[in-house]
Amino acid sequence: MAKQLKVPSLQHMARIWRPDAEAIRKVLVRLATHGPSFSYAPLFKIVHEMLVFKTPYEVSVEAVRRTKRDDVRENFLGIMPLINEYFSRVRPSFVHEVTPRLYSLSRDIQVPFAPPLMYGAGGTVVFPWLSFWKSNPLEGEALSLFVTIVEELILQDSDLEDAQFKILDFSAKDSRSQRELSVIQASDIPRLNPERKTEMLAVFAEGYRLARDHLQGISSGEAVSESVLINEEQMNLF
């Protein structure tokens, strides 16, 4: 049975982007056939509970230590001190969930965007985006594409139009280094002009359709040619 191709989230779409559609097709096919096997969702829940319910850090760490898979547990434990370093200093006056929404890339492709939360502190509304990838964080045009589209979506929401948009990057400098927390002010990221944004999105849409057609054409039992495994840290789509 052919694999079902999911439309990647907005951040993953930006990370998957390549200069030509065929390269995007290959990445999407590999993801559909050899996708990652764990999710960072528990960490988003932990941040939410720390801010909303004032859950003590030690309680959150103990919950992480009960993670069954050794590699996932060690991965999460490497992030927990950095989460605590940042959010233990936050004294929010309110914390609100942000309604998920879709970005219309084309008539047939709707890209999901699900922000974790927003909070108010010191009279300022803060919209933090948490990026837990250990390697290959967004940078360059990919980062500009992400920020440009997020800004479009934020400006459509009256609750977020004046928010400080921050990217909390929990990556490591290289494979031998420990993770570090970098706080990126989205206001410092160059925006794409409308023409370049449209061009980049058109290339992605073409690559997505190529991947979708490729996977739909695979009959039951056939092998997919792009069978190279993707490292879970390099492309975590869940």
Side-chain angles (χ1 to χ4, degrees), residues 57-110:
Y57 175 66
E58 295 74 15
V59 173
S60 298
V61 170
E62 185 56 35
V64 169
R65 289 200 177 102
R66 292 196 293 270
T67 304
K68 292 182 179 180
R69 276 182 49 179
D70 293 345
D71 58 337
V72 176
R73 181 174 61 253
E74 293 307 310
N75 185 13
F76 287 2
L77 287 174
I79 299 172
M80 286 299 295
L82 300 176
I83 289 177
N84 186 57
E85 174 189 336
Y86 183 84
F87 286 102
S88 64
R89 300 194 299 265
V90 174
R91 298 290 184 267
S93 55
F94 67 85
V95 181
H96 292 165
E97 294 183 354
V98 181
T99 304
R101 59 206 72 190
L102 295 171
Y103 182 80
S104 182
L105 192 150
S106 63
R107 289 182 179 180
D108 58 328
I109 305 174
Q110 303 292 312

Side-chain angles (χ1 to χ4, degrees), residues 7 10 13 17 27 29 38 40-41 43 46 53 84 108 110 129 134 157 163 171 177 201 204 209 213:
V7 179
L10 182 58
M13 183 271 288
W17 190 85
V27 174
V29 168
F38 76 98
Y40 284 114
L43 296 183
I46 283 172
F53 303 112
N84 186 57
D108 58 328
Q110 303 292 312
W129 185 266
K134 187 174 183 180
D157 192 325
S171 63
S177 301
L201 294 180
F204 182 87
R209 295 187 188 106
D213 294 345

